[in-house]
Amino acid sequence: MTTPRRSARRLVRRWWPVVLAVPLGAVAGAGYAVVAPPSYAANAYVLVVAQNPGEAAIATNFAQAYGRLAGQPQVLAVAAAETGHTRSEMASLVHGTTSPDAPMIEITGTGKRPQEAARTADAVARSLVSFANTSSKDTNVRLVTLSPAAAPDRPTTPSGKLGPPAAGGRPRSRRRRRPPRCCPPRR
């Protein structure tokens, strides 16, 4: 029969890496959040429109294809020239996503400032529309910008403004507010 002391020793021998790694990981994550610069993300939306009525399924299929092309060099080269980034920088700053049931492409651009994120997303959206519309006679679809990107209000990554629990401090206690002394107590 094992004693509680022996069981505790076995547990400590097996689990000491986890007990040590969890607080170290939390401290490292909080430290990164404090020193890392904030990053902003903005979304532009492009719509694929079928030129012949009743071909919505074709437009949705082309949206899937063009969504994949949003990160390709032929699209990024034009956007890179417009924003002043290199093509490889643009590839890391932008990505496109699509919906399986709607002919829409969402282009997300990121940047260190809100305006940079919006400008990056808009540049790729314009480049994708221009690239796709060169072959619209062959595909029977055309792309239009549905919504340009708006500069975001707040960053998408944490900034150095962590709350007291994350910074290691105690949260403020929530005390009940007392009524002013001038008033009689409620019953």
Side-chain angles (χ1 to χ4, degrees):
M1 190 170 190
T2 60
T3 64
R5 182 176 274 174
R6 212 178 243 175
S7 295
R9 283 184 185 158
R10 276 191 200 151
L11 191 62
V12 168
R13 273 191 222 133
R14 288 183 186 175
W15 291 95
W16 73 266
V18 173
V19 171
L20 184 65
V22 168
L24 284 176
V27 168
Y32 176 76
V34 168
V35 298
S39 177
Y40 294 87
N43 299 321
Y45 296 92
V46 175
L47 188 65
V48 180
V49 180
Q51 292 181 345
N52 299 327
E55 293 183 347
I58 292 173
T60 303
N61 291 340
F62 272 105
Q64 297 291 321
Y66 285 128
R68 290 185 192 101
L69 289 176
Q72 295 301 311
Q74 59 269 36
V75 174
L76 295 178
V78 175
E82 185 179 327
T83 60
H85 292 292
T86 64
R87 200 173 353 148
S88 61
E89 288 173 335
M90 288 298 288
S92 67
L93 294 174
V94 175
H95 72 277
T97 54
T98 59
S99 171
D101 57 351
M104 189 178 333
I105 305 165
E106 177 184 52
I107 297 175
T108 303
T110 58
K112 294 179 182 175
R113 292 181 306 281
Q115 296 80 7
E116 180 183 349
R119 188 179 52 172
T120 301
D122 283 339
V124 172
R126 283 190 296 272
S127 177
L128 180 63
V129 167
S130 174
F131 174 78
N133 287 342
T134 59
S135 60
S136 65
K137 288 182 182 179
D138 299 328
T139 61
N140 287 330
V141 296
R142 65 184 202 2
L143 274 64
V144 294
T145 302
L146 180 66
S147 173
D153 294 335
R154 55 184 75 152
T156 55
T157 58
S159 64
K161 299 177 183 174
L162 294 176
R170 286 182 28 202
R172 277 193 238 167
S173 63
R174 294 184 181 179
R175 294 185 291 182
R176 272 187 23 197
R177 296 185 87 178
R178 293 184 183 168
R181 292 183 185 220
C182 66
C183 304
R186 292 186 214 178
R187 292 184 191 208

